[in-house]
Amino acid sequence: MTNTFGTESAAAAGAAAASVPGAQERLANAVRAAEQALIEFEIAVETFRVEVENFSRLHHQRLGPMYARLDELDALVAEAVAAHSGDRADIERAWEARALVMPMPGIEELFGGLLGSDGVRPVEDPNPPRRVRPGKEAQRLYRELARKAHPDLAQDDEEKERRSAFIARVNEAYAYADEEALRALAAEWEAGPVPLADLPSEAEVLYARLEWLADRKEKLSAIAAELDESAIGQMMRLAPDDPDALLNEIAEQLLTQVAQREARLAELVKDAADGA
């Protein structure tokens, strides 16, 4: 069970700290230090995320056409070889190579946007609505909550802010037709704001803050690990100090491969013309 500001462990630790001279000041200093460390960590994670995203975009924009040209040349070479040999295996390889180049026509219309022209399913909403229109019970709960907690019913700015934040949560639960969440919100509203006597001590708040900071850092670490283990992240490991140079290196390699394929295709075309 949790209280309004943190866990029971935070409350117990806060009570203990309050009874030790100087402990609360040290706790406050620890919280400030943890907050600064978290800010720096968030900056580092966000910087890495931007780098991964930018690398991915540049990789697609700059190298995508080269990959496409290589695929096209592979298909042309395979077709030229098949035309010269007439061998069934060569013909099948030519078909396979050409299939990699040709987009699937009309696939977006056929699947109503569920698949792209390359046959890849777009990234799905990780938390999609359960249905287009919420059910009757969800509608009833939503209307009741909106009538009771609407911000326009507030008598002062503080109350209006509280109601606005609450209604935002109600709207989110309703958008996902989450009847359980709407019922919980209804119970929360009926309970009213936390009485002043029930508010935790400063030490309890500080310990709860430390726990939140630790949890936030753990989540950020998971995000950073996911970025690092992604295909782009692993590619960036090859040149952590200068990823732009890595892109240039890959581009040069692809250009070399393109030149080799073009030379091979020109040789096959020449042989076919000489044979004719």
Side-chain angles (χ1 to χ4, degrees), residues 6 10 14 18 23-25 30 33 38-39 44 50 56 62 69 98 112 140 155 158-159 177 185 189 200-201 205 214:
Q24 188 162 304
E25 183 179 354
L38 181 65
I39 289 172
V50 170
S56 179
R62 294 176 55 184
R69 177 58 178 163
R98 178 54 60 187
R140 182 188 68 78
Q155 299 299 315
E158 183 177 350
E159 175 66 5
L185 287 166
W189 183 259
S201 68
V205 172

Short mmCIF file of all heavy atoms in Angstrom, two decimals, residues 6 10 14 18 23-25 30 33 38-39 44 50 56 62 69 98 112 140 155 158-159 177 185 189 200-201 205 214:
data_model
loop_
_atom_site.label_atom_id
_atom_site.label_comp_id
_atom_site.label_asym_id
_atom_site.label_seq_id
_atom_site.Cartn_x
_atom_site.Cartn_y
_atom_site.Cartn_z
N GLY A 6 4.31 8.73 -1.15
CA GLY A 6 5.34 7.72 -1.29
C GLY A 6 4.93 6.43 -0.65
O GLY A 6 3.76 6.17 -0.44
N ALA A 10 9.01 4.91 3.04
CA ALA A 10 9.41 6.31 3.07
C ALA A 10 8.89 6.99 4.32
O ALA A 10 9.57 7.80 4.95
CB ALA A 10 8.91 7.03 1.82
N GLY A 14 11.21 8.51 7.13
CA GLY A 14 11.07 9.93 7.42
C GLY A 14 10.86 10.18 8.90
O GLY A 14 11.42 11.11 9.48
N ALA A 18 13.48 12.31 11.35
CA ALA A 18 13.04 13.49 12.07
C ALA A 18 13.52 13.49 13.51
O ALA A 18 13.64 14.54 14.15
CB ALA A 18 11.52 13.60 12.01
N ALA A 23 19.87 14.95 10.75
CA ALA A 23 19.59 13.92 9.74
C ALA A 23 18.74 14.48 8.60
O ALA A 23 18.97 14.16 7.44
CB ALA A 23 18.89 12.73 10.38
N GLN A 24 17.78 15.32 8.93
CA GLN A 24 16.89 15.84 7.89
C GLN A 24 17.64 16.75 6.93
O GLN A 24 17.38 16.73 5.72
CB GLN A 24 15.71 16.57 8.53
CG GLN A 24 14.64 16.98 7.53
CD GLN A 24 13.32 17.28 8.20
OE1 GLN A 24 12.77 16.44 8.92
NE2 GLN A 24 12.82 18.48 8.00
N GLU A 25 18.57 17.54 7.46
CA GLU A 25 19.36 18.41 6.58
C GLU A 25 20.23 17.58 5.64
O GLU A 25 20.34 17.89 4.45
CB GLU A 25 20.23 19.33 7.42
CG GLU A 25 21.04 20.31 6.57
CD GLU A 25 21.89 21.25 7.42
OE1 GLU A 25 21.75 21.20 8.67
OE2 GLU A 25 22.67 22.00 6.84
N ALA A 30 21.07 15.15 0.26
CA ALA A 30 21.14 13.95 -0.58
C ALA A 30 20.11 14.02 -1.70
O ALA A 30 20.39 13.62 -2.84
CB ALA A 30 20.91 12.71 0.28
N ALA A 33 21.36 16.44 -4.35
CA ALA A 33 22.42 15.82 -5.13
C ALA A 33 21.86 14.79 -6.11
O ALA A 33 22.30 14.71 -7.27
CB ALA A 33 23.44 15.17 -4.20
N LEU A 38 20.32 13.08 -11.54
CA LEU A 38 19.29 12.60 -12.45
C LEU A 38 19.16 13.52 -13.66
O LEU A 38 18.99 13.06 -14.80
CB LEU A 38 17.96 12.47 -11.73
CG LEU A 38 16.80 11.94 -12.57
CD1 LEU A 38 17.07 10.50 -13.01
CD2 LEU A 38 15.48 12.01 -11.82
N ILE A 39 19.22 14.82 -13.41
CA ILE A 39 19.14 15.78 -14.52
C ILE A 39 20.26 15.53 -15.53
O ILE A 39 20.04 15.50 -16.74
CB ILE A 39 19.20 17.22 -13.98
CG1 ILE A 39 17.89 17.56 -13.24
CG2 ILE A 39 19.42 18.22 -15.13
CD1 ILE A 39 17.94 18.89 -12.52
N ALA A 44 22.07 13.10 -20.70
CA ALA A 44 22.90 12.14 -21.44
C ALA A 44 22.04 11.17 -22.24
O ALA A 44 22.33 10.88 -23.40
CB ALA A 44 23.79 11.37 -20.45
N VAL A 50 18.77 11.29 -29.34
CA VAL A 50 18.80 12.16 -30.51
C VAL A 50 19.86 11.69 -31.51
O VAL A 50 19.64 11.68 -32.71
CB VAL A 50 19.05 13.62 -30.08
CG1 VAL A 50 19.34 14.50 -31.30
CG2 VAL A 50 17.85 14.16 -29.32
N SER A 56 19.97 7.22 -37.60
CA SER A 56 19.03 6.41 -38.36
C SER A 56 18.48 7.16 -39.56
O SER A 56 18.39 6.63 -40.67
CB SER A 56 17.88 5.97 -37.43
OG SER A 56 16.93 5.20 -38.14
N ARG A 62 20.90 9.12 -46.72
CA ARG A 62 22.13 9.14 -47.51
C ARG A 62 22.46 7.80 -48.13
O ARG A 62 22.96 7.73 -49.26
CB ARG A 62 23.30 9.60 -46.63
CG ARG A 62 23.18 11.04 -46.18
CD ARG A 62 24.32 11.40 -45.24
NE ARG A 62 25.62 11.13 -45.83
CZ ARG A 62 26.78 11.28 -45.19
NH1 ARG A 62 26.78 11.71 -43.95
NH2 ARG A 62 27.92 11.01 -45.78
N ARG A 69 20.08 1.14 -55.24
CA ARG A 69 20.82 0.99 -56.49
C ARG A 69 21.52 -0.37 -56.54
O ARG A 69 21.54 -1.03 -57.59
CB ARG A 69 21.85 2.12 -56.61
CG ARG A 69 22.74 2.04 -57.85
CD ARG A 69 21.94 2.05 -59.14
NE ARG A 69 22.81 2.04 -60.31
CZ ARG A 69 22.40 1.72 -61.54
NH1 ARG A 69 21.12 1.40 -61.74
NH2 ARG A 69 23.24 1.73 -62.55
N ARG A 98 14.69 -9.67 -58.60
CA ARG A 98 13.75 -8.64 -59.06
C ARG A 98 12.64 -8.43 -58.04
O ARG A 98 12.17 -7.29 -57.83
CB ARG A 98 13.17 -9.05 -60.42
CG ARG A 98 12.14 -8.08 -60.99
CD ARG A 98 12.65 -6.68 -61.07
NE ARG A 98 13.84 -6.55 -61.93
CZ ARG A 98 14.55 -5.43 -62.04
NH1 ARG A 98 14.22 -4.36 -61.34
NH2 ARG A 98 15.62 -5.39 -62.83
N GLY A 112 -5.79 -1.15 -46.03
CA GLY A 112 -6.31 0.00 -45.32
C GLY A 112 -5.28 0.74 -44.49
O GLY A 112 -5.55 1.25 -43.41
N ARG A 140 -21.51 6.62 -18.70
CA ARG A 140 -22.21 7.08 -17.50
C ARG A 140 -21.23 7.60 -16.46
O ARG A 140 -21.42 8.69 -15.89
CB ARG A 140 -23.04 5.93 -16.91
CG ARG A 140 -23.86 6.32 -15.68
CD ARG A 140 -24.50 5.11 -15.04
NE ARG A 140 -23.51 4.23 -14.43
CZ ARG A 140 -22.93 4.47 -13.24
NH1 ARG A 140 -23.23 5.56 -12.56
NH2 ARG A 140 -22.05 3.62 -12.75
N GLN A 155 -14.09 27.48 -7.03
CA GLN A 155 -14.32 28.78 -6.41
C GLN A 155 -13.05 29.64 -6.38
O GLN A 155 -13.13 30.84 -6.15
CB GLN A 155 -14.82 28.57 -4.97
CG GLN A 155 -16.13 27.80 -4.89
CD GLN A 155 -17.26 28.52 -5.59
OE1 GLN A 155 -17.44 29.74 -5.44
NE2 GLN A 155 -18.05 27.78 -6.37
N GLU A 158 -6.66 27.79 -7.06
CA GLU A 158 -6.06 26.54 -6.59
C GLU A 158 -7.00 25.36 -6.82
O GLU A 158 -6.58 24.30 -7.28
CB GLU A 158 -5.72 26.65 -5.10
CG GLU A 158 -5.02 25.42 -4.55
CD GLU A 158 -4.62 25.59 -3.09
OE1 GLU A 158 -4.72 26.73 -2.58
OE2 GLU A 158 -4.23 24.59 -2.47
N GLU A 159 -8.28 25.57 -6.53
CA GLU A 159 -9.26 24.52 -6.73
C GLU A 159 -9.45 24.23 -8.22
O GLU A 159 -9.61 23.08 -8.64
CB GLU A 159 -10.60 24.92 -6.11
CG GLU A 159 -11.76 23.97 -6.35
CD GLU A 159 -11.57 22.62 -5.69
OE1 GLU A 159 -10.57 22.44 -4.97
OE2 GLU A 159 -12.40 21.72 -5.91
N ALA A 177 -11.66 3.92 -22.72
CA ALA A 177 -12.81 3.13 -22.25
C ALA A 177 -12.45 2.28 -21.03
O ALA A 177 -12.92 1.15 -20.89
CB ALA A 177 -13.35 2.25 -23.38
N LEU A 185 -11.31 6.67 -10.14
CA LEU A 185 -11.32 8.13 -10.10
C LEU A 185 -12.56 8.67 -9.40
O LEU A 185 -12.50 9.67 -8.67
CB LEU A 185 -11.24 8.68 -11.53
CG LEU A 185 -9.88 8.53 -12.22
CD1 LEU A 185 -10.00 8.78 -13.71
CD2 LEU A 185 -8.86 9.49 -11.60
N TRP A 189 -12.49 11.01 -6.13
CA TRP A 189 -13.14 12.31 -6.04
C TRP A 189 -14.05 12.38 -4.82
O TRP A 189 -14.11 13.40 -4.13
CB TRP A 189 -13.93 12.61 -7.31
CG TRP A 189 -14.54 13.97 -7.28
CD1 TRP A 189 -15.83 14.30 -7.00
CD2 TRP A 189 -13.86 15.21 -7.50
NE1 TRP A 189 -16.01 15.65 -7.03
CE2 TRP A 189 -14.80 16.24 -7.34
CE3 TRP A 189 -12.54 15.54 -7.81
CZ2 TRP A 189 -14.48 17.59 -7.49
CZ3 TRP A 189 -12.21 16.88 -7.95
CH2 TRP A 189 -13.17 17.88 -7.79
N PRO A 200 2.11 14.14 4.86
CA PRO A 200 3.33 13.59 5.45
C PRO A 200 4.28 14.69 5.93
O PRO A 200 4.15 15.85 5.54
CB PRO A 200 3.94 12.80 4.29
CG PRO A 200 3.46 13.51 3.08
CD PRO A 200 2.05 13.97 3.41
N SER A 201 5.23 14.29 6.74
CA SER A 201 6.23 15.24 7.22
C SER A 201 7.22 15.55 6.11
O SER A 201 7.26 14.87 5.08
CB SER A 201 6.97 14.64 8.42
OG SER A 201 7.76 13.53 7.99
N VAL A 205 8.46 13.24 2.88
CA VAL A 205 8.44 13.73 1.50
C VAL A 205 9.81 13.57 0.85
O VAL A 205 9.95 13.15 -0.29
CB VAL A 205 7.99 15.20 1.45
CG1 VAL A 205 8.15 15.77 0.04
CG2 VAL A 205 6.55 15.33 1.91
N ALA A 214 15.21 7.36 -7.71
CA ALA A 214 15.84 6.06 -8.01
C ALA A 214 15.04 5.30 -9.06
O ALA A 214 15.60 4.69 -9.98
CB ALA A 214 15.95 5.23 -6.74
#
